[in-house]
Amino acid sequence: MDIDGEAGRDGLTTAERTPVTAAVNVVLFRCQMVSSEGKFKAAIHARRKLSTLPTSGQCLDVGAISDAVLQVCYVMGCGAFPRAAPRWWMKRRTGGTWEDLRQCDDATDDYFKYKLRMSPRVFREIAETLSPLRQRRVTFYRVPLQPDHIIAYALYRWATGETYDIRTCSFDIGRSSSITAVRDVTAALLTAYPDKISWPTGLQKAVVLRAFADKGFPNCHGCIDCTHIYIDKPANANGEDYCDRKRRFSMQAQVVVDMKLRVLDVFVGYPGSVHDMRMLNLSSLWARVEEGQLFTGPPVMLPFGVRTNGYLVGDNSYPQSEWIVVPYGGLA
C-alpha cells in the first residue's frame, strides 16, 4: 500500500489518513484504559483478600501491618532509617574514608573512633568551631574543599601518623593540598582554642590534686614523659642529631598530662637524639618552675622521704629531684 497516495497506485489519500489515524489512537487509548482498570481491580481484590483474613481484637489489621512494612522498607531504601546491624568493616564501599565518615548509621561511632580517635559529637564540635576560620571562596577554577573535609583529613593524619604520600586518595586530596590542610587546621586550632592546653588553676587544680592523692601521690600535679614524632631528615642537617635510639629520624616532644590524660603542657622542637632530662632543662616548664610560677603549695613529706611543694611523676629517664619524683621501678 502506498501511504503517500501517489497516482497509479492503490493507497490512502491525505484526507483518508486522518480518520484512520484517529481510529488507531482511540483503540490504543482504550487498550491502555482496560489494562490500567484490570491492574486496579487486581489490587483491590488483593487488599480485600488480606482484610478478610481472621484477626483478633488485640492485633493490628493485616492491611495496616502490610502498609507499615511497606513504609519501613521505603524509608530504609532512602537511607533515612539505620539498618539493624550495619558492619562498616564489611559493607562500606562508598569511595574512601571521607565518604565513609559522612555515613549516618549505627556504625558511625565505632568508625569515627577507629579512624579519628574521637566520637562524632566531638568531631562536629571541632568542625563547627573551625569552619568559619577555614571557609574558602568559590572561584572560576575549581570548587574548594569544604572545611569539615579538611578538618577530618588533618585529624586522621594526626591519629594514624601516616605520611602524606599514604591515604590521601581516600580523602580525594592531593599531596600538596594535604600539607596545606594540616598547616591550616593547626593554625585554626591554636586560634580557636588558645587556652585549651594550660596549667590547671583554681577548682581544676584541686580536682587534679585530689585525683592523684586518691592513687597514693599526694600533692602531685601530673605525669611527665617524652615521645618521638617521626619525620623525614631535614635538608642540610646532620642526620645523627635527629636519629633516636631506634635509629629513626624524629623530633622530641615533652608532654605533661593529668590523671584523665588531659594535656597540661607541651614542649616540642628539639631533635630526637636529645635526652629526656636535657629536654626538660631546655623547656619553658623548667623556666616557669625556676621562677616560682608553679608548685607553690604547702610542703608535703612523701612516703619515700622527699619533701616537696609539688611535683610531677616521671620514669627512670629523670633523676629524682624536688619536683620530679620517680616511683620505685619507674612508671608502667
Side-chain angles (χ1 to χ4, degrees), residues 103-154:
Q103 298 294 317
C104 296
D105 54 31
D106 294 347
T108 301
D109 290 354
D110 294 337
Y111 195 74
F112 266 80
K113 291 179 181 179
Y114 177 72
K115 293 294 184 179
L116 304 183
R117 306 294 193 269
M118 64 180 61
S119 65
R121 179 186 62 81
V122 175
F123 171 75
R124 286 192 294 269
E125 290 179 359
I126 295 175
E128 291 175 0
T129 303
L130 302 188
S131 291
L133 302 174
R134 294 294 92 214
Q135 194 70 43
R136 297 180 178 180
R137 272 188 318 113
V138 178
T139 66
F140 292 104
Y141 302 100
R142 66 178 61 183
V143 178
L145 296 173
Q146 296 302 311
D148 54 347
H149 191 170
I150 298 174
I151 295 168
Y153 172 76

Side-chain angles (χ1 to χ4, degrees), residues 293-313:
Q293 299 181 17
L294 305 177
F295 309 130
T296 58
V300 175
M301 181 64 69
L302 300 181
F304 32 85
V306 176
R307 183 179 179 86
T308 175
N309 294 338
Y311 59 94
L312 299 175
V313 177

